[in-house]
Amino acid sequence: MNKSSRMCYKLLVSFVSLLIFSTPSMNAQKKDKIQKRSEYEFYKNFPKYVDKIHAELTYPLAWGNSDIRNFEQWKATARAKVFECMFVPPTPSPEGWNAKLIAEEERDGYKAQKWTFNLSDYYTVTAYLLVPEGKGPFPAVNLLHDHGGHLFIGKEKMIRPFDVDSVVIKDADDWQYKVYGGQYVGDFLARNGYVVFSVDAPMWGDRGREEGVDRNSYDIIAGNMMMLGRDLSAFMTYDDIAGTEFLATLPCVDKDRIGCAGCSMGAYRAWMLSALSDRIKAGASVCWMVTTDVQMTWKYGRKEWGGFANCIPGLRLYLDYPHIASLACPKPMLFINGEKDKLFPVPGVKKAFGIMRDVWKSQNASDDLFTELWDMPHECGPKAQDRLLEFFDQYLK
């Protein structure tokens, strides 16, 4: 082959290679283009007929709608329906808690501990526990972490982490400035005399995927759990109930003075836990309360991103969010939402607050329900934390 032929051969090989290796890229570009039909049934993640569905949601088991007039009987019936819709709970461990203290460090006025224990027969989890200096038992708060679309850390959002990789510590520190004004809620409460407990929800922190964090995988895994007759969101609530029971067994804790609190998804977890566990004596929720007719619609220029994180199948046929939260009545409850919170439009918040106020009023407990709208976005900064402390000091101390 002469020089000219060799050059032609190289050009031909280069051209063929270009075709071969560029084809997938061009195909990928074609796949990236969204295919649309002229006729459609869903718009902005909701069905076009969502208003008709809302009209059919009459919440027949809500207090005042139900024909049950005895409040305690209503609570028992409504709570049973919530548990029914939550599917099967995790199987308790036959070995009991099997709790082990694995790490400890001294902090300013309290000590931080790291525990492992059997939260169920399915999983052993790691928890952080903060214990104040002095003689106990102390009042305690189960702190429930947020969602935030950030699954790499869970309990570390609530309590300053230790005995972990520096990457986790930095991530947790960064998260404080995004949501909590640079102050860990758990450490703040511990400095003020509370035992503080926090554990990861399923899919967060130590309970995530081997393959790594992927927000979209949460919904896929939740769907697979439903195929197994289990509900991932319900597991979160079942775990919060079980975690509170574990907390009550600790010698440093006064089991008659246990509260719970959280922001965002943690707020949802807090009022769910308060509604379903008699162990909780007072609950505080920051930035998660609304009615379904406002949450699940495109009218307010937003989309619902929570998805499976608060999905209890079939429950909306019986009770709306504020109706479920009202199962906590007459225990003291604090709800704070932000007027600038884009996730929870104010009309839905006000409507939900009104529903709950009517329930507490019906039981002569209006003075123990606090529904507050603040000039703030979706966050739980130092001022909100001060309000949590004031609330818990009033009802747990």
Side-chain angles (χ1 to χ4, degrees), residues 10 101 168 235 295 308 341 392:
K10 288 181 179 180
L101 177 62
V168 174
F235 266 38
Q295 180 199 38
F308 283 105
D341 189 336
F392 285 130

Side-chain angles (χ1 to χ4, degrees), residues 12 24 45 74 80 85 99 109-110 118 133 152-153 159 200 205 219 274 286 315 317 342 353 355 366 376 390:
L12 178 61
N45 295 345
W74 169 77
C85 292
Y110 60 101
N118 296 333
E133 292 178 352
F152 182 65
I153 52 175
I159 293 173
D200 296 322
D219 297 342
S274 299
V286 181
L315 186 52
L317 298 176
K342 296 180 180 180
F353 282 179
I355 290 171
S366 296
M376 69 178 194
E390 179 186 43

Side-chain angles (χ1 to χ4, degrees), residues 26-42:
M26 289 187 288
N27 288 340
Q29 290 178 5
K30 289 180 180 179
K31 289 180 180 179
D32 287 341
K33 293 181 179 179
I34 298 176
Q35 294 179 304
K36 295 183 178 180
R37 297 285 293 265
S38 59
E39 298 295 326
Y40 58 90
E41 193 166 326
F42 297 88

